[in-house]
Amino acid sequence: MTMRIAVLIPCYNEELTIGKVVQDFRRELPDAEIYVYDNNSRDRTAEVAREAGAIVRRETRQGKGNVVRSMFRDIDADVYVMTDGDDTYPAEFVHDLIRPIIEGEADMCIGDRHSDGSYSKENKRPFHNFGNQLVRKLINTLFHADLRDIMTGYRAFSRRFAKTMPIQSEGFEIETEMTLHALDKRFRILEIPIQYRDRPPGSHSKLNTLSDGIRVLKTVFWIFKDYKPLAFFTAVALILFLAGLGVGIPVLYEYFSFGRIAKIPSAILAVGFMVLATNSLTCGFILDTIVRHHRDYYELLQNEFKG
């Protein structure tokens, strides 16, 4: 049976490059259906994509996460390929990405931009590189993984992964969420080395260093809290415990030395810190149990999935 392959291209103001991207993937995958989802573009992105032979649809909710959510829900295929419309990901690597999916060796293949050094060479935004490395190190540490590229937009998915992933992100954090979901739910991940090229002259990135840096920090916090609640709240409890000790030790010294306590406010504050530390640790145990039950429930849903 022939595998149905869908190429998914989220787009926002990519008039200059989208035509070439569609043509390149049509050349590499002549039997695939190529979908361009126009995310409120103010230029001729939709018209150019349609002229190049793509199936064009519109997503009015702004943000790449919203687009990918609609793509996974609306499009029916056996293999999904996601790429960007800015012509930074060469189409010729798509065969390496989809082969493990077709052969049943992986549920998600990631186009790794870092192995050959092309991303660090072509990308002129050092703070984005720093943010990528920060998130990658955190995820690898928490999940005992060894992934090299967490935020790449060039990926291939199995039908099971695409149809059972609950997407919560609205913006560019969607790539990080996909990686987290795959690691947490024990999907099979393969990284495929690819080359990365910078945008052509005249094409401008939609990323903003300041706002996206804040998003990266929020993502780091969210990863730690939601996926590893016991570790997160234990760390919070330790900070509160040390604060309680710092405030309470002089009070205890005073009591054991003179048999009385004159620093009543300090004693109350120290007790407060210790109570908060205990509550934080308790929350960590409760939420960790909930997360474990959620993973078990997801596994049962996977058994019922009809691919």
Side-chain angles (χ1 to χ4, degrees):
M1 184 180 65
T2 303
M3 285 281 189
R4 297 169 298 168
I5 301 175
V7 179
L8 316 179
I9 311 176
C11 271
Y12 175 63
N13 291 340
E14 300 291 0
E15 173 187 353
L16 182 65
T17 56
I18 187 58
K20 180 178 182 300
V21 173
V22 172
Q23 293 170 3
D24 288 348
F25 278 92
R26 175 64 66 205
R27 181 188 68 245
E28 299 294 332
L29 299 172
D31 296 325
E33 291 186 327
I34 300 178
Y35 294 86
V36 171
Y37 271 58
D38 178 32
N39 196 203
N40 302 315
S41 296
R42 296 188 298 271
D43 59 9
R44 296 183 61 253
T45 294
E47 291 85 344
V48 172
R50 193 175 290 110
E51 291 170 359
I55 301 171
V56 179
R57 295 178 180 176
R58 189 181 180 205
E59 173 54 58
T60 57
R61 294 169 294 182
Q62 195 67 39
K64 188 174 182 179
N66 291 322
V67 177
V68 175
R69 182 185 301 109
S70 294
M71 286 176 161
F72 282 178
R73 289 178 180 176
D74 299 345
I75 298 170
D76 196 34
D78 299 304
V79 179
Y80 297 81
V81 177
M82 186 179 77
T83 188
D84 290 343
D86 56 9
D87 196 30
T88 55
Y89 298 114
E92 53 265 28
F93 289 96
V94 71
H95 304 286
D96 296 330
L97 284 175
I98 66 175
R99 187 177 298 111
I101 305 294
I102 294 174
E103 295 176 354
E105 297 176 357
D107 298 293
M108 179 172 68
C109 287
I110 298 174
D112 171 22
R113 304 164 293 178
H114 296 298
S115 290
D116 68 348
S118 60
Y119 183 73
S120 57
K121 178 181 178 182
E122 294 290 339
N123 185 18
K124 306 304 190 297
R125 300 180 297 269
F127 286 105
H128 283 82
N129 290 332
F130 173 76
N132 287 348
Q133 293 174 8
L134 177 64
V135 174
R136 176 175 61 84
K137 289 180 179 179
L138 175 64
I139 291 177
N140 283 336
T141 300
L142 292 178
F143 290 92
H144 307 289
D146 189 27
L147 297 177
R148 294 181 295 271
D149 198 346
I150 301 294
M151 297 183 177
T152 178
Y154 201 7
R155 298 170 184 248
F157 314 96
S158 66
R159 174 180 172 81
R160 177 183 293 271
F161 183 91
K163 291 300 184 182
T164 62
M165 179 181 173
I167 297 177
Q168 302 296 327
S169 301
E170 294 185 353
F172 83 104
E173 310 97 314
I174 180 63
E175 286 92 357
T176 304
E177 183 181 1
M178 288 176 174
T179 305
L180 286 170
H181 178 72
L183 288 170
D184 189 58
K185 301 305 186 294
R186 292 174 293 204
F187 280 102
R188 296 166 299 173
I189 306 174
L190 281 181
E191 288 192 298
I192 308 297
I194 64 168
Q195 291 180 355
Y196 177 87
R197 58 195 178 205
D198 203 4
R199 286 171 170 266
S203 177
H204 303 287
S205 174
K206 316 303 184 303
L207 301 177
N208 180 277
T209 299
L210 179 60
S211 62
D212 292 341
I214 294 174
R215 283 190 174 189
V216 167
L217 293 177
K218 290 171 62 178
T219 300
V220 170
F221 177 84
W222 168 65
I223 291 169
F224 202 8
K225 179 180 70 70
D226 289 358
Y227 283 86
K228 299 292 182 180
L230 182 57
F232 176 83
F233 285 99
T234 298
V236 173
L238 180 60
I239 293 172
L240 292 170
F241 177 77
L242 293 176
L245 280 182
V247 176
I249 285 177
V251 176
L252 292 175
Y253 176 78
E254 182 183 47
Y255 175 77
F256 286 113
S257 298
F258 305 104
R260 60 183 178 81
I261 298 176
K263 301 176 180 178
I264 301 298
S266 295
I268 296 174
L269 182 60
V271 171
F273 276 132
M274 292 302 181
V275 171
L276 290 175
T278 303
N279 289 343
S280 177
L281 191 60
T282 303
C283 287
F285 280 111
I286 293 173
L287 292 175
D288 184 68
T289 302
I290 293 174
V291 168
R292 289 176 181 270
H293 282 300
H294 174 74
R295 292 193 186 104
D296 293 341
Y297 179 69
Y298 186 83
E299 289 295 325
L300 293 176
L301 291 180
Q302 287 288 307
N303 294 336
E304 298 176 2
F305 176 77
K306 305 298 181 182

